[in-house]
């Protein structure tokens, strides 16, 4: 996307100098494989905001990052001495700052419904991580949890909603579960989830999704480096 | 508060009839001891909105409640066929619906900072519940967690912020920890937390806090009935 500068730039580590940020410029602190930062990347992508990106090592955090954000999490936005973090707060902030490209509806009731939907779909994220980090061997419980979360998503998804961006990052990563035979999952989402399938199909056509989508093998490789090898390969794919 | 009708009314159970809601009227579904519902009660109290209250049994939920809110949680707002739930979403919705009494600042950056603060203070709620439900006997770990959360709050609290309402419910309940000798906590918050003490002192003077504050013994009694006896006494104190 022409609006991003440095989206796939080398990750900065402790000791690396932080480039100065010009007045009036907006910067996104990002980690290329973080699903929460991905939410703001998609938002910025859809709003076509000119943003420069700094990719940050989240395992060993540079001082200048922790100074700006004591939680040490991405996404974080910085401009003119102001910093905002937490993905949903960042996205709402961007809508309020640039209302001409607002993604959340302006009607209070519609806004509230969209936010509730995002909240209710958050169980999908929890279930995905529980599944991937499951250690019980047979995946029975983790699979039940995942099934419940996906059925919940199937019942909730509507044709078009602001939250589609907020939940997409986890659905982009979800097919990872089909790559490892030990999980015993052949297809995702499969015929049992027609609404979810339609949602995924629709989302994959959106320019803002396509522009920053990563191959599923890359997502898997990163997760392995981070969770199994405990040595996240932040620069994978560049 | 004159703006509430039925704030301390008898809790409705499955089988109880839901009174009709007149057009143009706003209703809050509440549970008298729920700290999350308390957030919206305080918000409504501060905004002086005329609201009728239905107290709901959350252990055995009436059908009409689950039909309106599949999560079965309070607070929930209903008016003119519209329902909104999740405490922070409800409160923002009320601000958007009645901007003349808005509590969140209108400046986007200030708004974002206030929301971030609420998020960062949420560890206090988690620590309080972990402490109260702790089963390890010596409370060492739970106490460490609580200390960390309170030190975090001490470092974050600022003189005046919208989030004061969002975090008050947990601080109103916190002194419960001084009531049971086995916890080994004599004072709350104590001299180590001057900012937290000043915050609590300031909050206790606010009319909207005073109007709906409950004696600490009542909070303790309810928690005991709910967590130890597994038989929540929803009508305590009325």
């Amino acid at each position: 996307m022409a609006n991003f500068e440095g989206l796939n730039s080398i990750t900065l580590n402790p000791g690396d100098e932080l480039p100065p940020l010009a007045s009036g410029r907006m910067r996104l602190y990002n980690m290329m494989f973080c699903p929460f930062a991905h939410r703001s990347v998609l938002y910025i992508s859809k709003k076509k905001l000119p943003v420069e990106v700094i990719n940050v090592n989240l395992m060993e955090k540079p001082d200048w990052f922790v100074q700006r954000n004591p939680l040490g999490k991405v996404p974080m936005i910085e401009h003119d001495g102001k910093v905002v973090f937490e993905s949903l707060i960042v996205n709402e902030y961007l809508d309020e700052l640039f209302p001409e490209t607002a993604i959340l509806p302006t009607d209070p009731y519609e806004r509230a419904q969209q936010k509730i939907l995002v909240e209710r779909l958050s169980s999908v994220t929890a279930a995905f991580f529980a599944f991937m980090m499951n250690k019980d061997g047979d995946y029975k419980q983790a699979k039940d949890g995942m099934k419940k979360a996906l059925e919940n998503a199937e019942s909730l998804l509507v044709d078009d909603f602001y939250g589609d961006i907020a939940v997409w990052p986890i659905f982009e990563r979800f097919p990872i579960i089909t790559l490892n035979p030990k999980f015993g999952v052949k297809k995702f989402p499969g015929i049992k989830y027609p609404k979810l399938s339609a949602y995924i199909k629709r989302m994959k056509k959106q320019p803002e999704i396509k522009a920053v989508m990563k191959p599923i093998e890359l997502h898997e490789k990163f997760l392995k480096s981070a969770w199994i090898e405990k040595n996240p390969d932040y620069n994978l794919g560049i």
Side-chain angles (χ1 to χ4, degrees), chain A:
Chain A
M1 301 292 274
N3 59 310
F4 284 110
E5 193 180 293
L7 185 58
N8 295 313
S9 56
I10 291 283
T11 298
L12 298 189
N13 301 306
D16 285 343
E17 206 178 322
L18 182 67
L21 179 61
S23 155
R25 292 271 289 167
M26 184 170 276
R27 174 179 279 169
L28 171 72
Y29 294 79
N30 181 51
M31 191 280 273
M32 281 188 286
F33 296 94
C34 171
F36 298 103
H38 194 175
R39 283 176 163 174
S40 293
V41 167
L42 291 173
Y43 222 77
I44 290 164
S45 176
K46 186 156 184 173
K47 288 172 82 70
K48 296 191 176 59
L49 303 175
V51 163
E52 58 181 68
V53 181
I54 296 285
N55 288 317
V56 186
N57 184 330
L58 295 180
M59 188 108 155
E60 296 173 51
K61 294 168 191 176
D63 288 342
W64 41 255
F65 182 56
V66 183
Q67 275 156 18
R68 283 166 174 77
N69 177 356
L71 300 182
K73 296 197 292 186
V74 294
M76 176 174 85
I77 283 284
E78 181 180 15
H79 69 110
D80 299 314
K82 296 173 175 171
V83 294
V84 176
F85 41 89
E86 293 289 335
S87 60
L88 297 177
I89 297 175
V90 164
N91 288 1
E92 276 195 63
Y93 176 63
L94 294 175
D95 257 7
E96 288 168 12
L97 220 52
F98 305 103
E100 62 281 9
T101 53
I103 296 174
L104 261 174
T106 49
D107 175 75
Y109 185 65
E110 285 304 315
R111 283 170 75 82
Q113 295 310 308
Q114 299 274 349
K115 292 183 200 171
I116 291 169
L117 208 46
V118 171
E119 194 61 35
R120 294 184 64 190
L121 283 164
S122 64
S123 64
V124 176
T125 306
F128 175 70
F129 283 105
F131 185 82
M132 294 301 295
M133 303 211 274
N134 170 62
K135 283 182 182 135
D136 75 4
D138 71 353
Y139 287 87
K140 173 87 180 70
Q141 203 183 344
K143 247 185 200 170
D144 287 350
M146 197 171 70
K147 188 165 170 266
K148 214 170 150 186
L150 291 177
E151 283 171 358
N152 177 50
E154 179 73 15
S155 76
L156 290 176
L157 280 172
V158 287
D159 251 4
D160 189 22
F161 81 108
Y162 133 91
D164 57 8
I165 283 194
V167 298
W168 175 254
I170 208 64
F171 285 118
E172 180 171 317
R173 287 155 181 79
F174 231 110
I176 291 179
I177 64 173
T178 64
L179 296 184
N180 193 331
K182 77 170 176 182
F183 293 154
V185 180
K186 290 212 181 90
K187 274 194 178 170
F188 176 79
I191 51 166
K192 280 187 194 154
Y193 303 101
K195 279 170 74 184
L196 187 49
S197 302
Y199 159 79
I200 291 171
K201 207 170 162 182
R202 173 171 68 79
M203 291 302 277
K204 281 186 176 171
K205 285 184 198 155
Q206 309 297 318
E208 65 274 10
I209 301 282
K210 276 160 56 174
V212 299
M213 196 164 173
K214 291 189 184 5
I216 193 66
E217 291 77 15
L218 210 58
H219 281 303
E220 190 204 24
K221 224 169 166 178
F222 177 78
L223 281 190
K224 271 190 182 164
S225 75
W227 291 356
I228 299 176
E229 297 152 25
K230 308 285 178 202
N231 185 20
D233 190 350
Y234 291 119
N235 295 315
L236 261 177
I238 55 173

